[in-house]
Each structure stands twice: as structure tokens, then as C-alpha cells.
């Protein structure tokens, strides 16, 4: 609706400016024509400006543009966003969040982790990556600098891999 209103208002504004220019060219010193030209020029310019503003607002509410803003938020929050965080950041655009998140989920950019009224989305590309050595059997985390062939706790096989952690998680610390 905003797109249609903006387009019509912009079109009317441009026509008003053109009409004002036409009266200005044909005024030949007549005050009545100059007054009509001024009304056409100023009214048309105002209508064009308002129409362009409505078109800009309509564009900012599109799922593509909103998805881009959400990706920026995800990058600054280290790859984890809840519905509450999105509502707080996007304000009046909160009603458009679902369409943008479905678009991002369909592209494989994020995964929804919780269903219900306040879901959380994980963006793996923006999460912290840590190289970890773990026992495949008991899950014990082992130091990277030690060259162990098997787990000292259970004798299981040791695997080294990359794990991702969300923002604010207590998943690892430098003291351990």
C-alpha cells in the first residue's frame, strides 16, 4: 500500500511540477499565471518529496532489506539472535521479522533453535570457532599441546576438530 501511495504521489508531484513550469513559461508577466506556476512548482515538489519518502519506507520494509539489517545485527551479536533482541533493534518493523527470518532460513544462513513465542536463531558463520581435542567416547576435553594417542580417562580415541560457540556462552574458558 505504501508503495502504491508513494508511486501515485510521486507521479502527481512530477505532473504538478511540469504544469507549474508550463505556466511559468507561458506567464508573460501575468500575476495569475505566475501564482498558478508557483503553486504547481511548490505543491508538485512537496508531493514528489513525500512520495519518494513513502517509497523509501516501503523499500526498507521488504524482506530482502530487513534480512540485510538482521545479518548486520547477527554479526555484532556473535551469531545468536532472539526474537526479543530483533524486536528491540528493529522497533516498528517487528511485524516483518518472520518473513525476513524465513528468507534467511531458506538460504541456509541461520537455524531456528527454539520454537514458540520467543525463538532464537543461530548464524554459524558469525560464531566464534575454537580448535578442540575431545575424546570420542567420554567427551573429555584434552589440551591441544599434548601428543596423546588415547584418552587418559577412558582410553577412547581422541579427535581434533573445530567447535562453534555462541555469544556469551560458558562453553570454554582460558583457565581450564
Amino acid at each position: 500500500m505504501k508503495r502504491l501511495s508513494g508511486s501515485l504521489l510521486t507521479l502527481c508531484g512530477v505532473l504538478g511540477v511540469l504544469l507549474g513550469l508550463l505556466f511559468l513559461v507561458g506567464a508573460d508577466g501575468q500575476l495569475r499565471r505566475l501564482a498558478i506556476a508557483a503553486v504547481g512548482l511548490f505543491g508538485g515538489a512537496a508531493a514528489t518529496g513525500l512520495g519518494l519518502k513513502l517509497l523509501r519506507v516501503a523499500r526498507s520494509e521488504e524482506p530482502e532489506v530487513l534480512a540485510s539489517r538482521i545479518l548486520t545485527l547477527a554479526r555484532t551479536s556473535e551469531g545468536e539472535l532472539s526474537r526479543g533482541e530483533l524486536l528491540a533493534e528493529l522497533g516498528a518493523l517487528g511485524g516483518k521479522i518472520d518473513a525476513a527470518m524465513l528468507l534467511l532460513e531458506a538460504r541456509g544462513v541461520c537455524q531456528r533453535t527454539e520454537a514458540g513465542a520467543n525463538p532464537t536463531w543461530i548464524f554459524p558463520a558469525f560464531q566464534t570457532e575454537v580448535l578442540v581435542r575431545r575424546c570420542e567416547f567420554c567427551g573429555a576435553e584434552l589440551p591441544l599441546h599434548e601428543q596423546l594417542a588415547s584418552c587418559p580417562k577412558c582410553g577412547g580415541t581422541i579427535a581434533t576438530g573445530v567447535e562453534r560457540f555462541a555469544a556469551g556462552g560458558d562453553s570454554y574458558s582460558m583457565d581450564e
Side-chain angles (χ1 to χ4, degrees):
M1 187 65 180
K2 287 181 186 178
R3 183 177 300 269
L4 179 63
S5 300
S7 297
L8 289 175
L9 204 52
T10 303
L11 179 64
C12 290
V14 168
L15 290 175
V17 168
L18 290 175
L19 184 65
L21 286 174
L22 183 66
F23 270 88
L24 185 63
V25 168
D28 196 30
Q30 296 179 16
L31 288 178
R32 189 180 324 161
R33 286 186 182 175
L34 286 173
I36 293 172
V39 168
L41 288 172
F42 291 118
T48 302
L50 185 58
L52 291 174
K53 184 175 181 176
L54 280 174
L55 286 172
R56 186 177 24 230
V57 168
R59 172 80 175 128
S60 72
E61 293 177 353
E62 291 179 358
E64 277 292 326
V65 175
L66 200 53
S68 174
R69 288 183 64 190
I70 290 171
L71 285 175
T72 302
L73 290 173
R75 186 175 295 114
T76 59
S77 68
E78 295 185 25
E80 186 174 331
L81 287 172
S82 68
R83 178 179 296 284
E85 290 171 323
L86 288 171
L87 288 172
E89 290 292 330
L90 300 175
L93 298 175
K96 313 276 183 183
I97 290 173
D98 290 327
M101 293 312 296
L102 285 174
L103 180 68
L104 291 172
E105 288 175 25
R107 290 182 181 165
V109 175
C110 66
Q111 295 95 30
R112 184 183 211 132
T113 59
E114 298 173 20
N118 194 20
T120 300
W121 290 273
I122 301 294
F123 297 79
F126 303 133
Q127 289 185 314
T128 303
E129 293 181 347
V130 178
L131 187 62
V132 178
R133 291 185 73 193
R134 287 198 187 278
C135 173
E136 292 180 345
F137 184 72
C138 71
E141 188 173 332
L142 304 166
L144 289 171
H145 66 286
E146 291 183 12
Q147 299 297 324
L148 300 172
S150 61
C151 177
K153 294 181 180 179
C154 69
T157 307
I158 298 174
T160 303
V162 175
E163 293 183 8
R164 296 177 187 264
F165 297 99
D170 295 332
S171 301
Y172 71 94
S173 73
M174 299 305 279
D175 297 332
E176 292 179 358

